[in-house]
């Protein structure tokens, strides 16, 4: 049976938590796996009860906030529906409603 994305991510973090995972060009900050995992866990702690098992539509620009929401949804068994943050809000609403 293939591993889930959540299990694969957890295995990567466990294998080398200090490994580079993201370079944020806006702030020039480097994020490692453990730091991104912590962002996701914090998001899940704050929103997990309402997001668990739910499809959650979000539009974050690429960067640590995108990973915070995406990994948080993985952590609480939510379903991430990522929209293009660059699209106009009206277009995002149409997509989210479909």
């Amino acid at each position: 049976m293939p591993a889930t994305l959540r299990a694969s991510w957890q295995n990567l973090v466990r294998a080398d938590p200090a490994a580079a995972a993201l370079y944020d060009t806006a702030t020039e900050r480097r994020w490692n796996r453990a730091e991104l995992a912590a962002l996701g866990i914090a998001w899940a702690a704050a929103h997990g009860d309402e997001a668990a098992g739910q499809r959650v539509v979000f539009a974050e620009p690429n960067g640590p906030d995108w990973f915070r929401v995406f990994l948080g949804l993985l952590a609480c068994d939510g379903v991430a529906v990522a929209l293009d943050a660059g699209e106009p809000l009206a277009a995002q609403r149409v997509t989210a409603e479909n």
Side-chain angles (χ1 to χ4, degrees), residues 8 11 13 18 22-23 33 49 53 55 58-59 63 65 77 79 95 98:
S8 295
N11 289 338
V13 174
L22 176 70
Y23 177 72
R33 292 174 184 169
D49 288 343
R55 183 175 53 174
F58 71 100
D65 286 337
D77 293 324
V79 177
T95 303
N98 293 320

Side-chain angles (χ1 to χ4, degrees), residues 1 10-12 17 19 33-35 37 47 53 66 70-71 75 80 84 88 96:
M1 173 184 257
Q10 290 170 334
N11 289 338
L12 283 172
R33 292 174 184 169
E35 291 169 326
H47 305 284
W66 190 95
F70 182 77
L71 294 173
D84 182 348

Side-chain angles (χ1 to χ4, degrees), residues 55-59 80-98:
R55 183 175 53 174
V56 177
V57 177
F58 71 100
V81 181
L83 301 181
D84 182 348
E87 288 289 319
L89 186 56
Q92 291 177 11
R93 284 190 179 130
V94 169
T95 303
E97 291 169 0
N98 293 320

Side-chain angles (χ1 to χ4, degrees), residues 19-83:
L22 176 70
Y23 177 72
D24 185 358
T25 57
T27 63
E28 296 187 2
R29 178 171 177 198
R30 296 179 195 286
W31 294 78
N32 64 35
R33 292 174 184 169
E35 291 169 326
L36 288 182
L39 287 178
I41 291 167
W43 190 95
H47 305 284
D49 288 343
E50 63 234 359
Q54 298 298 313
R55 183 175 53 174
V56 177
V57 177
F58 71 100
E60 291 285 347
N62 292 339
D65 286 337
W66 190 95
F67 279 95
R68 176 180 52 87
V69 176
F70 182 77
L71 294 173
L73 286 165
L74 287 182
C76 69
D77 293 324
V79 177
V81 181
L83 301 181

